[in-house]
Amino acid sequence: MEKGRIIIVEDEEDILMMLSEFLRGNGYAVDPFNDSKKALIALKNNNYQIMITDLMMPKIDGLQLINFIQKEYLDTLGIVITGYGSLETAIGVMRCGAFDYVLKPFKFEEVLATVDSAMYYFNLIKADNIPKGLRLKSNLLRRYAENKIVRENTILRSCLKDKYKFENIIGNSFPMQKVFELIEKVADTNATALVTGESGVGKELVARAIHFNSSRRDSPLVVVNCGAIPETLLESELFGYEKGAFTGAANTRLGRFEIANGGSIFLDEIGDMSVNLQVKLLRVLQERSFERIGGSKTITVDLRIIAATNRSLEDLVKQGKFREDLYYRLNVVPIHIPPLRERRQDIPLLLNYFLERSNRLNNANIEGFTEEAIKTLLDYQYPGNVRELQNIVERMAVLKRNGYIDLEDLPEKLYANEGVGETAPLNMERGYDTLVSEFEKTLIAKALQETQGVKSKAAQVLSINRTTLIEKMKRLGID
Ligand SMILES: Nc1ncnc2c1ncn2[C@@H]1O[C@H](COP(=O)(O)OP(=O)(O)OP(=O)(O)O)[C@@H](O)[C@H]1O
Ligand SMILES: [Mg+2]
């Protein structure tokens, strides 16, 4: 049986043929391409586990192929071949999401070793069958990348770490400066941090900055989205289980706390955690110890806990949905990120930052914004915060490609700038109930639109229960 399927993209015919033969001889199925345009189509239509690509090629280059994999959410792991002396470029390529690189001139054995380890990681990721939200895949791969660079060269290693320095958190507003100060102060302590703020303000970015600026940076940062995983599953994800703990537990499995040992764990959407699990988490916070499900041995871990939520834990405490003692344990270092509309000075910086990035990623060449466009972009409310701003800029870069972004290039919602409820003129004769229902409808539709139709998120935006939202949608006939 073949070990895996590889696509090779290389414009030098000789290398392409020899490398293909060599890898075939070592048990891989190989599709060689000397034309990157054709390769792109093949990439999309076949489930390759690995892509080996030259970096410099006419038409579509290696970096674009890597970007394509990312954009299309393909499982393929990319290995980039690049000319001698351009280690720096290679590392840049890894930052863009490549799995690994090989420098020219290379020995075939070297390529094979890289391919074998990519295959190993590929299978690991698949076998883990990770529920959405755990994002172990990117953790695993990032760790691989980091280790490789540690081996390579310490100076260049700092270049990868840069990704999590503050240069990637943009903001010169007063509140953001305060956030930076706080990160700097607490990063290298073991203090538990609680990052709060609306959706899309950059909570995860801040959590990562804390980890990567701490002395734990070479150990894992494990991300767990407590809101995305059902309660029973979350418990076993966090604490692990012993073989035979329940039907289906065929093998002992490590939980995320154990995997994060030595490093940090990021508990995202902590406000969604059930009260039952909150008790168990409290113990981990207090003692750094726990038992696996079905186990009696107490396991002690050394880890840094960072939690985040876009809900108000104070309110949840008042409502009896969040344990007060846990809240105080978590809230040792509170880091609040205000919504973008409350720190508008950051908007121009963010616009430029994302424009540059989108230009680079999409091979676009947009020079900037017209004065009118900027004005409108500055006035907008950004209910989705920085994430929304980023999406807006990326979309425009893809559609426009060059020149200046003008008013007409902006998404309609920006210049329409309608306040909710002001859309239809108020005609009192239509009756109180009808008008209120209409207002409710507009509100809900807007929230659903903002959250891509995810009801739990829409409910959060509106600060109502998910069940209340569903009831209202039924009553108002919203699909
Ligand atoms: N200050 C910033 N500078 C640059 N990029 C930012 C900034 N804030 C947020 N972003 C970007 O916006 C997106 C959303 O950020 P992030 O995932 O950290 O938000 P969040 O607060 O965790 O959101 P949610 O509550 O929805 O999980 C990311 O792509 C992130 O890189
Ligand atoms: Mg987040």
Side-chain angles (χ1 to χ4, degrees):
M1 216 183 75
E2 72 204 26
K3 287 204 268 179
R5 298 195 57 194
I6 307 178
I7 178 171
I8 308 184
V9 198
E10 163 71 72
D11 56 344
E12 277 180 65
E13 203 63 58
D14 291 350
I15 297 185
L16 180 65
M17 284 310 141
M18 285 193 294
L19 185 60
S20 301
E21 271 324 296
F22 177 77
L23 290 172
R24 278 185 193 128
N26 280 282
Y28 287 99
V30 180
D31 285 350
F33 285 92
N34 63 2
D35 180 339
S36 48
K37 251 188 165 160
K38 286 186 185 143
L40 194 85
I41 296 162
L43 198 56
K44 198 170 176 172
N45 296 327
N46 295 278
N47 286 321
Y48 296 108
Q49 279 119 8
I50 297 168
M51 170 180 77
I52 303 175
T53 176
D54 196 0
L55 186 59
M56 307 288 212
M57 286 181 297
K59 295 188 208 164
I60 300 173
D61 64 24
L63 194 60
Q64 283 169 282
L65 290 175
I66 296 286
N67 282 334
F68 181 77
I69 288 178
Q70 303 268 308
K71 260 209 213 139
E72 299 283 326
Y73 298 104
L74 302 181
D75 289 330
T76 317
L77 297 178
I79 298 170
V80 176
I81 298 176
T82 177
Y84 190 76
S86 55
L87 201 57
E88 207 136 8
T89 329
I91 289 173
V93 168
M94 286 188 75
R95 285 208 229 169
C96 293
F99 170 75
D100 208 340
Y101 59 87
V102 176
L103 294 180
K104 267 185 194 167
F106 54 80
K107 294 200 184 79
F108 286 162
E109 276 75 16
E110 202 183 320
V111 181
L112 179 64
T114 312
V115 166
D116 282 342
S117 66
M119 222 31 240
Y120 170 78
Y121 275 87
F122 187 93
N123 290 328
L124 211 59
I125 291 161
K126 282 281 152 183
D128 208 348
N129 197 10
I130 302 148
K132 230 178 151 183
L134 276 179
R135 282 172 260 172
L136 188 69
K137 174 176 174 179
S138 53
N139 264 330
L140 211 61
L141 296 182
R142 207 198 42 251
R143 261 182 76 61
Y144 175 86
E146 275 178 358
N147 287 341
K148 163 114 188 169
I149 289 160
V150 172
R151 284 201 302 276
E152 220 51 89
N153 181 327
T154 44
I155 300 169
L156 286 163
R157 177 165 150 256
S158 70
C159 150
L160 187 85
K161 257 181 6 212
D162 267 5
K163 191 169 178 191
Y164 298 100
K165 275 261 178 66
F166 305 152
E167 290 98 78
N168 72 333
I169 313 182
I170 307 303
N172 64 352
S173 61
F174 182 72
M176 284 313 282
Q177 294 300 319
K178 284 279 158 213
V179 169
F180 297 150
E181 265 172 42
L182 254 178
I183 297 175
E184 219 156 297
K185 249 196 223 145
V186 304
D188 216 6
T189 69
N190 279 325
T192 302
L194 177 63
V195 190
T196 57
E198 287 179 9
S199 185
V201 287
K203 296 186 292 297
E204 180 157 352
L205 219 50
V206 167
R208 288 182 183 279
I210 293 175
H211 174 78
F212 285 97
N213 286 282
S214 78
S215 48
R216 296 174 179 272
R217 68 179 73 90
D218 293 324
S219 298
L221 166 68
V222 173
V223 179
V224 184
N225 188 331
C226 306
I229 310 170
E231 181 184 343
T232 43
L233 200 58
L234 182 59
E235 180 169 4
S236 57
E237 281 300 332
L238 288 174
F239 298 97
Y241 50 79
E242 297 289 347
K243 187 174 169 174
F246 44 84
T247 18
N251 288 303
T252 296
R253 198 174 145 169
L254 297 190
R256 301 295 149 189
F257 284 126
E258 269 181 87
I259 293 173
N261 195 9
S264 314
I265 191 160
F266 175 46
L267 301 173
D268 205 358
E269 317 262 358
I270 189 87
D272 294 350
M273 190 181 264
S274 72
V275 175
N276 170 37
L277 273 183
Q278 289 173 25
V279 181
K280 300 192 173 173
L281 174 61
L282 183 64
R283 174 160 169 235
V284 179
L285 274 157
Q286 283 169 339
E287 303 168 13
R288 294 291 192 268
S289 63
F290 58 91
E291 286 90 36
R292 293 186 197 134
I293 300 175
S296 51
K297 195 179 80 186
T298 300
I299 293 159
T300 305
V301 286
D302 161 33
L303 45 76
R304 163 61 154 312
I305 297 174
I306 308 168
T309 175
N310 53 22
R311 305 171 67 179
S312 157
L313 291 188
E314 282 106 329
D315 286 354
L316 291 174
V317 168
K318 274 184 211 142
Q319 294 163 21
K321 290 183 185 145
F322 203 85
R323 291 184 64 106
E324 195 168 13
D325 44 9
L326 178 60
Y327 170 60
Y328 287 119
R329 278 279 170 184
L330 286 172
N331 203 26
V332 182
V333 179
I335 302 181
H336 179 68
I337 312 173
L340 188 56
R341 62 186 170 277
E342 288 173 19
R343 48 181 168 100
R344 292 187 181 274
Q345 303 97 295
D346 292 339
I347 296 177
L349 281 179
L350 285 164
L351 287 172
N352 280 327
Y353 174 74
F354 288 122
L355 186 64
E356 221 174 80
R357 193 165 162 272
S358 308
N359 270 338
R360 208 169 54 232
L361 286 178
N362 299 297
N363 250 339
N365 193 19
I366 296 173
E367 291 172 58
F369 305 87
T370 64
E371 214 169 298
E372 266 85 27
I374 277 277
K375 255 172 111 179
T376 309
L377 283 160
L378 280 174
D379 278 348
Y380 182 58
Q381 291 294 317
Y382 298 98
N385 292 296
V386 183
R387 182 183 289 115
E388 187 180 11
L389 181 145
Q390 179 178 355
N391 290 344
I392 291 173
V393 175
E394 271 170 11
R395 206 189 77 130
M396 292 189 302
V398 170
L399 295 177
K400 181 94 178 177
R401 308 209 63 80
N402 45 45
Y404 282 84
I405 304 253
D406 202 354
L407 263 189
E408 69 214 22
D409 303 314
L410 303 180
E412 203 176 330
K413 64 179 175 191
L414 262 83
Y415 51 82
N417 213 7
E418 90 287 19
V420 177
E422 288 161 19
T423 28
L426 276 184
N427 179 354
M428 304 290 185
E429 280 163 22
R430 296 178 53 233
Y432 182 83
D433 286 343
T434 315
L435 289 171
V436 170
S437 295
E438 264 175 21
F439 186 68
E440 277 191 296
K441 250 184 169 166
T442 321
L443 264 176
I444 292 173
K446 200 169 151 104
L448 284 168
Q449 191 193 356
E450 269 170 37
T451 54
Q452 278 86 37
V454 181
K455 290 191 198 102
S456 56
K457 290 239 154 133
Q460 271 176 32
V461 169
L462 294 165
S463 304
I464 57 175
N465 275 331
R466 189 169 157 275
T467 41
T468 315
L469 175 70
I470 292 168
E471 266 165 38
K472 282 188 189 294
M473 285 172 66
K474 253 200 215 134
R475 181 167 54 78
L476 297 165
I478 301 174
D479 208 345

